[in-house]
Structures are given as structure tokens and as C-alpha cells.
Amino acid sequence: MNKPNKKYTVAALIGVRGGSQRVEKKNSRSFSNSNLLRIKIKQLLEVPNLDKVVVNSEDEELLSIARDSGAETVTRDPAFATDGVSTSDYYRNIAENCDADIILSA
């Protein structure tokens, strides 16, 4: 059986918010000569068959770190950056705003 040679775009999505209730600025805070967001992006960029890393946030500082680290960015609507938003609504919003055939949550 012949299968079409279709190439799917696979993206790893990192969703980060500027406000954390437990640890303030946990994703941008200095950690091991870097920060958690930069470390995660660097690790994901080394994953074979992953076409891109996309960071979704409402926080410009985190989006800037992401761009400087080689990730694509999507600015999150502030309505989806609260503890009150449901997980299904959050992921539906991501799927509508991320240009990829397959999206992996990272």
C-alpha cells in the first residue's frame, strides 16, 4: 500500500504566565546561570523531529526570553491567563493560535 509522503508540522508548546501564585516570576528568575524558561526551550530545540518550539504567554518579558532563546511566540489573550480559565478553554485557544499540525504540551 502506498502512503502519501505527508510532512506534518510538530510543535512543542510551552504555556507560561507572568503571574505565579506560589513562586513569583518562577519562569524568568535566575536559576543555574539561566532561567527555567530558557532551559526548557534549549532542551526542546534538541528534540529530533520537533519542527518548532512555541511559547504562549501574556507576559512580554517571558515572550522576549522565548524569542531570544530561539522559540516562536504567541501572545496570549489576558482572558486565558487567569486561574479561573478552564483547561479545555485554554487548550482550545492555543490550538486556534498555533500554526502546527501536531501540538505537544511541554
Side-chain angles (χ1 to χ4, degrees), residues 28-100:
S28 59
R29 175 181 280 186
S30 181
F31 177 78
S32 188
N33 296 320
S34 188
N35 61 58
L36 292 178
L37 180 57
R38 195 176 304 275
I39 291 167
K40 189 175 230 184
I41 292 168
K42 181 180 177 188
Q43 291 172 336
L44 287 168
L45 287 172
E46 295 177 10
V47 173
N49 300 319
L50 193 60
D51 297 303
K52 59 185 171 179
V53 176
V54 179
V55 173
N56 175 282
S57 182
E58 85 295 352
D59 185 274
E60 186 51 45
E61 178 186 12
L62 295 172
L63 293 170
S64 178
I65 290 169
R67 285 188 292 271
D68 291 345
S69 300
E72 292 182 18
T73 60
V74 175
T75 301
R76 185 185 312 180
D77 183 316
F80 293 96
T82 67
D83 286 335
V85 69
S86 73
T87 304
S88 61
D89 286 343
Y90 167 72
Y91 281 110
R92 184 174 21 263
N93 179 258
I94 288 171
E96 292 169 353
N97 292 289
C98 184
D99 185 27

